[in-house]
Amino acid sequence: MNNDKLLVLDNVTKVFTKGQGFVKSKIEAVSRVSFELELQPPEIFTLAGESGSGKSTVAKLILGFEAPTSGSIYYKGQPLEHLKGKREFIRDVQPIFQNPFETFNPLKKVQNYFHDTERSFGSPPRGQYPLTERSLELVGLTAAEIKDKYPSEMSGGQLQRASIARALITNPSLLIADEPVSMIDASLRMSVVNLFKRLKEEQGVSIIYITHDLATAYYISDRIAIMLRGQFVEIGSVKKVLDNPLHPYSQLLQSSVPAPDPRDRWTEDIALSDLEAREYTRQGCKFAGRCPRVMEICQRQEPEHYRVDDRLVKCHLYR
Amino acid sequence: MAILEVKNLKAYYITHKYGRSSTVRAVDGVSFEVNKNEIYGIAGESGCGKSTLLKAVSGLVKPPLQILDGEVSYNFSDESLNILSLNDDRQRRRLRGVRISLIPQGSMSVLNPVRRIRKSFEDVVYAHLDVSESEFEEMVRDHLQALGLDWTVMHTYPHQLSGGMRQRITIALSTILRPDIIFADEPTTALDVVVQRGVVQLIKKIKEEQQNTLILVTHDMSIHANLCDRLAVMYAGEIVEEGDVQTLFSNPKHPYTSMLLNSLPRVGDSSPRASAPGAPPSLVDPPPGCRFHPRCPFAMERCRKEAPLLRDVGNRHRVACFLQEGGQ
Ligand SMILES: Nc1ncnc2c1ncn2[C@@H]1O[C@H](COP(=O)(O)OP(=O)(O)OP(=O)(O)O)[C@@H](O)[C@H]1O
Ligand SMILES: Nc1ncnc2c1ncn2[C@@H]1O[C@H](COP(=O)(O)OP(=O)(O)OP(=O)(O)O)[C@@H](O)[C@H]1O
Ligand code: SF4
Ligand SMILES: [Mg+2]
Ligand SMILES: [Mg+2]
C-alpha cells in the first residue's frame, strides 16, 4: 500500500493538555490532518499559518519526535511507528531548525559537527571528509570557509546554510525545515530559499517548508496548506491559494503580508486573535470569532473540506 | 524644533580579555533629528548597530558599551536636556521611565517569567506614580481596553500566552505612562504576519491616542513602508541614507538601500531572484573608505580610500555615497 508515495498522513490527530489552573484545557494541536507527497516528482510543500496553529507539531509527528494520538503516518509505504529511530529513516528524513545559533553549540567548532555526522553515517578514509565537502559545495560554502570557525564567527545566513549542509551529508529524500529563514534578514533569506529550490530541482530532494513568510513560500513551493488551530483550512497549489485565497482565514493571512511599498499601507483594522486556548476549544468553525463573513451555522457546526477550484477548503461558504 | 537631536554619536563596545582589548565600533558617528509626532524608522541588516543606537540614545549605556563622542538632546515642551551629561541617576531613571520608553528587542526579556502580568504593571506604575490601588486598576483597565486587550491577561503568567499576546502586553506596559517618545526595537520580528499586523495596528492606535513620537527599529523594510514617515538606513555602524519614506522606496539613492529593496520577494512574483551578494563586515575592523565598497556593484577607486559624508541632496534627503557627487 502507498508504494508510490513518499509520505502519507492519514487523518492524524495530536492532543495536548495545555495550561494550568483556570486556563487548563485539552487541545487538538493537530486535528484530522491528511496529505500526501508523491515519490516522484520531488515537491516543496509549504505549511503556513498563524503562530501556535500546529505547524511544528506536524513536523515533529513526521520526524517521529511525537506520536499521533490517532491516525497514521506512512513513509515510503511503511508505517512510521516501525521506522522511528531506525538509522535508515534518520538518514533519509532530516530536520532543519529555525535558529542556527541553537543548532550549533557555541563552544564547538562548526566543522566538528560535519565530521561527527559523516563518521557516524559513512566510513570516511582517515582525515578525509568527501561527503562534508560535497554537501558544503551544494550550499555554496567551502571547507576553508568553515575551517576552525566557531558559530559566533559566522553570519546568520552562513550558519543556516551550514546547518542545511549538515542535513545533506546523509543524502536525504525529505527535509523538514521548520521556519528556516525567520531568524535571518530578508536580504539573506533569498540565499537559503534559492538553495532549497536548487536542491529540489537538481538533487530531487522533497521539502516540507514551514514558514509564515508567504512571499518566500510563493517563490519556492508547489503546494501550500494553510493551518488554523490544528486544522488544514485550505490546501492547493501555491499559485491558486495565494493569488486567490478562498478561505476567509487564508484571505486574512494573504492580505496581512506587508507590502514593501509606502503607497500600499494597511488601512483596514482587523479583529485580533483571542486567547489561543479559547480558539482551540471553540465549537463550530475555529475562525468564527474573527471571521468577517461569519454565518449562524459557523458558530455551531464544524465545516467539512469542500473541493473548490482544484483545492480543499474547510468553510461553510463553499457548501 | 526637533524633539530629539543626535550629533556625531559614537558608541563602542570595548572589552578586555586575556590582556587584549577589542573595540566594536557599533555606532560610529551618527547624526539625525526626529520631529515631534513623527514616526522615524531605522533599518539595516542584523548587526549594523540599530539596537546599540537605541540604547545609546535612550541612555541605557553600561559596560562594555561606552559613549566616545557626541551629543543626544531632548527638547520637550517644558524642558530640554542632554542625556549624556545627566549625571544624576534619579534624573535619568525618571526620564527613561516617564518621558521616554524603550520596548526592547525580544518581548520575553521585559516580562518576568515567574510573576503574573499584573505584577509587571504594578512595578512600572508604582515606581513613577503615587496612585491608590483603585486608581491603578482603573488606569490599567482603561489602557488595556483602549488597546483591545482583555483584563483576564492580568492574572496570567507570560508562558501561558502566545508570542503575539506577550508582545502586545509588552507594548501596553511600555506605554501605560504615556511617554513623549517611544523607542521600539524590532517589535514585530519573529511574529507571524497576522499578529504582526495586529501589533502595527496597536502601535498606530497608541500614537494617535497619546500623540507621541515613535522611533522604530527593524530590519523589515515592509514594516517601515507601512508605518514610518521618515526612514534612516544604517550600514556597519553608520547612517548611509535618510529621507521621507516615499522617496526612499521610490527613489533610493544609496546602492545599499537599493540592494535591500531588491532582495525582497513578493507574493505574486516567482520570477528567479538572485540573493544579495556578500555579508556585512566586522565592526572590529571595518573596511577603509566607504564601508559598503566590498559589496557595492558601483565601487570606484575613490570609494576604497575615502569615506563619503552624509550629505543633503535636497528635500531633507541625505545620502552618503560618492555617486551623488558625480563620482570622481
Ligand atoms: N509538548 C506540548 N505540550 C502541550 N502543548 C503543546 C506542546 N507542543 C505544542 N503545544 C501547543 O500546541 C499548539 C500548536 O503548537 P505548535 O508549536 O505546533 O504551533 P506552530 O504553528 O509551530 O507555532 P509557531 O508559529 O509559534 O512556531 C500550541 O498551542 C502549543 O502551545
Ligand atoms: N555586549 C556586546 N559586546 C560586544 N559587542 C556587541 C555587544 N552587543 C552587540 N555587539 C556587537 O555590536 C554590533 C551591533 O550590534 P546591534 O545589536 O546594535 O545590532 P542590530 O543592528 O541591532 O542587529 P540585530 O538586527 O541582529 O538586532 C554587532 O557587531 C554586535 O555583534
Ligand atoms: S466557516 Fe464561517 S466563520 Fe469559518 S471561515 Fe468560513 S465563513 Fe468564516
Ligand atoms: Mg513552530
Ligand atoms: Mg537589534
Side-chain angles (χ1 to χ4, degrees):
Chain A
M1 181 195 151
N2 292 326
N3 274 330
D4 50 347
K5 308 285 187 215
L6 178 65
L7 178 72
V8 175
L9 271 76
D10 181 15
N11 227 2
V12 172
T13 294
K14 178 70 189 179
V15 176
F16 285 126
T17 310
K18 237 178 105 81
Q20 314 127 315
F22 79 105
V23 280
K24 183 163 177 165
S25 50
K26 272 203 165 132
I27 61 160
E28 290 187 357
V30 173
S31 174
R32 285 167 294 133
V33 157
S34 300
F35 73 96
E36 301 177 347
L37 299 184
E38 304 291 329
L39 266 178
Q40 283 303 329
E43 181 180 12
I44 300 183
F45 185 89
T46 290
L47 274 181
E50 204 152 290
S51 172
S53 58
K55 304 180 298 292
S56 295
T57 307
V58 171
K60 287 178 195 149
L61 289 166
I62 296 171
L63 287 161
F65 297 168
E66 297 273 5
T69 310
S70 64
S72 353
I73 302 176
Y74 301 89
Y75 182 75
K76 290 190 172 167
Q78 297 191 56
L80 190 67
E81 63 260 34
H82 298 170
L83 299 170
K84 240 177 4 200
K86 293 220 172 106
R87 264 172 84 86
E88 269 315 303
F89 179 74
I90 295 174
R91 181 196 281 260
D92 216 33
V93 181
Q94 283 278 326
I96 291 161
F97 299 108
Q98 174 170 6
N99 188 345
F101 292 96
E102 281 168 14
T103 307
F104 295 100
N105 177 336
L107 300 176
K108 189 166 161 180
K109 286 181 186 162
V110 172
Q111 67 195 25
N112 292 344
Y113 281 89
F114 283 85
H115 299 167
D116 292 351
T117 309
E118 180 157 0
R119 271 197 301 267
S120 72
F121 279 96
S123 42
R126 250 190 108 84
Q128 284 184 328
Y129 298 98
L131 297 178
T132 297
E133 276 172 32
R134 176 184 153 275
S135 63
L136 283 172
E137 193 185 319
L138 282 173
V139 305
L141 291 170
T142 59
E145 272 176 288
I146 65 160
K147 191 170 186 320
D148 291 329
K149 289 238 171 92
Y150 288 95
S152 61
E153 295 172 295
M154 295 170 69
S155 78
Q158 272 183 324
L159 204 58
Q160 190 60 297
R161 278 185 289 151
S163 80
I164 296 168
R166 187 175 76 121
L168 293 176
I169 289 185
T170 62
N171 199 14
S173 308
L174 180 61
L175 293 180
I176 314 281
D178 193 353
E179 305 205 25
V181 297
S182 66
M183 302 288 287
I184 56 184
D185 284 357
S187 59
L188 300 174
R189 277 184 194 180
M190 288 315 286
S191 72
V192 173
V193 296
N194 277 330
L195 169 62
F196 283 161
K197 216 172 170 174
R198 250 185 29 237
L199 287 174
K200 183 192 93 169
E201 283 160 10
E202 292 167 20
Q203 310 292 319
V205 180
S206 284
I207 300 167
I208 293 189
Y209 177 54
I210 300 179
T211 188
H212 22 73
D213 182 4
L214 296 186
T216 56
Y218 190 93
Y219 179 73
I220 58 165
S221 43
D222 302 288
R223 279 189 301 159
I224 187 169
I226 308 283
M227 277 193 93
L228 171 74
R229 302 301 176 222
Q231 304 177 335
F232 278 13
V233 297
E234 184 163 352
I235 321 176
S237 88
V238 75
K239 300 268 163 342
K240 287 213 161 174
V241 174
L242 293 183
D243 283 337
N244 176 27
L246 293 177
H247 193 284
Y249 175 67
S250 319
Q251 292 170 351
L252 169 66
L253 200 63
Q254 188 244 29
S255 70
S256 296
V257 177
D261 183 351
R263 288 164 307 186
D264 187 9
R265 296 184 170 188
W266 293 315
T267 48
E268 274 165 56
D269 275 5
I270 54 167
L272 299 179
S273 63
D274 198 350
L275 290 175
E276 203 174 273
R278 237 184 256 165
E279 284 198 344
Y280 260 114
T281 51
R282 232 192 137 87
Q283 299 291 308
C285 172
K286 307 278 182 227
F287 195 49
R290 284 187 278 159
C291 179
R293 304 182 64 185
V294 63
M295 299 166 287
E296 189 266 328
I297 187 175
C298 311
Q299 306 283 4
R300 55 185 164 79
Q301 189 183 323
E302 185 182 323
E304 292 168 31
H305 277 120
Y306 298 101
R307 185 167 289 282
V308 195
D309 186 26
D310 279 339
R311 55 192 124 156
L312 293 175
V313 188
K314 193 176 170 72
C315 168
H316 287 305
L317 289 169
Y318 303 94
R319 257 180 314 160
Chain B
M1 192 174 15
I3 192 167
L4 169 63
E5 285 175 78
V6 177
K7 281 201 196 115
N8 192 29
L9 184 64
K10 292 190 177 165
Y12 296 176
Y13 295 96
I14 301 178
T15 49
H16 304 276
K17 234 196 239 162
Y18 315 118
R20 269 190 310 175
S21 86
S22 130
T23 302
V24 178
R25 293 154 67 176
V27 172
D28 210 6
V30 164
S31 304
F32 64 100
E33 291 182 358
V34 179
N35 300 325
K36 191 167 179 328
N37 249 308
E38 185 170 55
I39 303 187
Y40 185 86
I42 299 171
E45 282 165 299
S46 181
C48 70
K50 304 180 296 296
S51 297
T52 310
L53 178 59
L54 279 201
K55 282 187 222 160
V57 167
S58 61
L60 265 179
V61 180
K62 49 178 187 248
L65 184 61
Q66 286 183 31
I67 305 289
L68 279 97
D69 197 3
E71 281 171 42
V72 176
S73 27
Y74 288 92
N75 308 302
F76 301 113
S77 49
D78 51 347
E79 60 178 336
S80 285
L81 32 91
N82 185 334
I83 196 168
L84 301 180
S85 63
L86 287 185
N87 30 30
D88 182 352
D89 241 17
R90 241 187 47 230
Q91 233 180 341
R92 200 176 298 159
R93 220 176 308 131
R94 213 189 76 80
L95 173 74
R96 269 219 309 276
V98 184
R99 307 223 76 155
I100 67 181
S101 170
L102 174 67
I103 305 171
Q105 192 167 1
S107 62
M108 267 316 263
S109 53
V110 199
L111 300 172
N112 187 331
V114 298
R115 308 186 74 183
R116 292 187 196 275
I117 303 294
R118 184 190 168 108
K119 284 274 175 220
S120 297
F121 274 89
E122 285 176 359
D123 291 349
V124 169
V125 174
Y126 290 137
H128 297 285
L129 300 182
D130 187 17
V131 290
S132 69
E133 190 174 335
S134 63
E135 284 167 318
F136 164 80
E137 285 195 2
E138 192 186 327
M139 181 175 169
V140 176
R141 203 181 288 274
D142 286 352
H143 188 55
L144 291 183
Q145 198 173 7
L147 304 184
L149 289 165
D150 199 306
W151 174 259
T152 54
V153 298
M154 292 290 275
H155 311 299
T156 58
Y157 289 97
H159 71 263
Q160 294 172 322
L161 301 167
S162 68
M165 189 64 88
R166 277 201 303 264
Q167 185 62 300
R168 278 149 69 189
I169 290 168
T170 307
I171 293 172
L173 187 64
S174 321
T175 52
I176 178 95
L177 300 175
R178 311 178 74 89
D180 293 283
I181 304 186
I182 304 166
F183 293 95
D185 194 355
E186 306 277 3
T188 60
T189 302
L191 299 177
D192 71 73
V193 289
V194 176
V195 178
Q196 217 176 53
R197 182 168 169 187
V199 167
V200 167
Q201 196 169 302
L202 188 68
I203 290 174
K204 278 188 179 157
K205 203 176 221 165
I206 291 172
K207 232 215 105 217
E208 231 159 73
E209 206 222 22
Q210 305 188 341
Q211 293 291 314
N212 29 30
T213 305
L214 174 68
I215 295 168
L216 172 72
V217 160
T218 173
H219 67 257
D220 189 335
M221 294 299 274
S222 306
I223 294 294
H224 285 303
N226 236 288
L227 267 171
C228 297
D229 301 314
R230 286 197 303 134
L231 181 61
V233 177
M234 280 185 83
Y235 186 78
E238 302 173 328
I239 292 181
V240 296
E241 183 163 10
E242 180 202 54
D244 76 75
V245 74
Q246 313 282 349
T247 311
L248 237 65
F249 275 79
S250 59
N251 187 18
K253 291 211 185 291
H254 197 286
Y256 178 62
T257 312
S258 307
M259 192 189 96
L260 276 186
L261 292 174
N262 289 334
S263 65
L264 300 173
R266 297 176 192 226
V267 172
D269 176 6
S270 52
S271 58
R273 203 171 272 270
S275 4
S282 146
L283 294 178
V284 175
D285 183 20
C290 170
R291 291 185 180 178
F292 187 57
H293 87 253
R295 293 170 86 186
C296 182
F298 308 106
M300 304 165 285
E301 199 42 46
R302 185 177 179 192
C303 312
R304 289 177 246 279
K305 295 188 203 123
E306 250 179 90
L309 297 174
L310 188 62
R311 293 152 68 114
D312 199 322
V313 296
N315 287 325
R316 294 186 79 194
H317 185 177
R318 298 192 297 160
V319 188
C321 171
F322 290 126
L323 291 173
Q324 294 309 311
E325 296 172 19
Q328 322 305 311

